[in-house]
Amino acid sequence: YALLGGLRASAQMISYEIALGMSTVAVLLLAGNVTLSQVIAQQQQGAWFVVSLTLAFLIFMISAFAETNRAPFDLPEADSELVAGYHTEYSGMRWGLFQMAEYINLITLSGLCVTLFLGGWHGPGWDGATWAGPLWFIGKLLLLLFLFIWMRTTLPRLRYDQLMRFGW
């Protein structure tokens, strides 16, 4: 059962990698550069990319929910579904390391979303103070983390066939 659960989890991940990558490509094309600092500088000159690429932002966020196994895409943790590999094979600290890796992935995708769509370390009315940049970035990051946690407690879980149809 652990092997079948692992296969289902990897199929879920692959089906959302394409959408996540394509939404990132839209930002890089609009910025005209693949360097993240240049993407942020491009957003400083104009509006944040969340304004002009709203659809790409929504696709990125939905794909990020699926990539981090957050609700409604948390099928590996579903009681009614097959059990995923590490949920049956590991316990204690080994299981805790898998859970910690999921939250590190959540922080990474939130930081990438802040960088690509929300202007990075620049805020509205940013005066260029060196201490304000990290505060803006951390504030936006915490807002996205709150959104991830809030959606997990709010949305119901999808069935596996609904999830795959939604992804493709």
Side-chain angles (χ1 to χ4, degrees):
Y1 288 111
L3 176 66
L4 292 176
L7 287 174
R8 290 177 89 172
S10 63
Q12 174 185 338
M13 188 172 11
I14 290 170
S15 66
Y16 286 96
E17 287 288 332
I18 297 168
L20 189 71
M22 293 305 283
S23 62
T24 304
V25 166
V27 170
L28 298 178
L29 285 175
L30 188 61
N33 202 328
V34 296
T35 308
L36 293 179
S37 60
Q38 292 299 318
V39 170
I40 293 173
Q42 184 75 20
Q43 293 180 67
Q44 183 186 12
Q45 295 170 359
W48 291 350
F49 287 155
V50 71
V51 175
S52 57
L53 296 172
T54 306
L55 182 62
F57 173 73
L58 292 175
I59 291 171
F60 185 90
M61 288 302 291
I62 291 170
S63 299
F65 278 112
E67 288 294 318
T68 56
N69 293 327
R70 306 303 281 179
F73 308 105
D74 59 342
L75 292 180
E77 293 96 16
D79 296 332
S80 61
E81 297 290 327
L82 290 174
V83 233
Y86 66 90
H87 288 287
T88 57
E89 301 295 331
Y90 296 112
S91 65
M93 193 58 198
R94 291 180 183 160
W95 180 80
L97 288 174
F98 275 104
Q99 294 301 314
M100 190 172 65
E102 283 187 11
Y103 280 98
I104 290 172
N105 190 14
L106 191 69
I107 293 169
T108 303
L109 281 174
S110 295
L112 191 60
C113 184
V114 167
T115 303
L116 293 176
F117 292 101
L118 300 177
W121 55 81
H122 297 291
W126 185 66
D127 59 353
T130 56
W131 57 270
L135 292 179
W136 274 113
F137 188 85
I138 290 171
K140 293 175 194 177
L141 184 78
L142 290 175
L143 183 69
L144 284 176
L145 289 174
F146 173 76
L147 179 71
F148 274 103
I149 293 170
W150 181 31
M151 287 297 127
R152 182 170 185 128
T153 60
T154 304
L155 297 174
R157 184 177 287 131
L158 295 174
R159 285 192 331 255
Y160 189 74
D161 60 327
Q162 293 171 332
L163 172 75
M164 296 305 287
R165 190 176 319 116
F166 184 71
W168 289 104

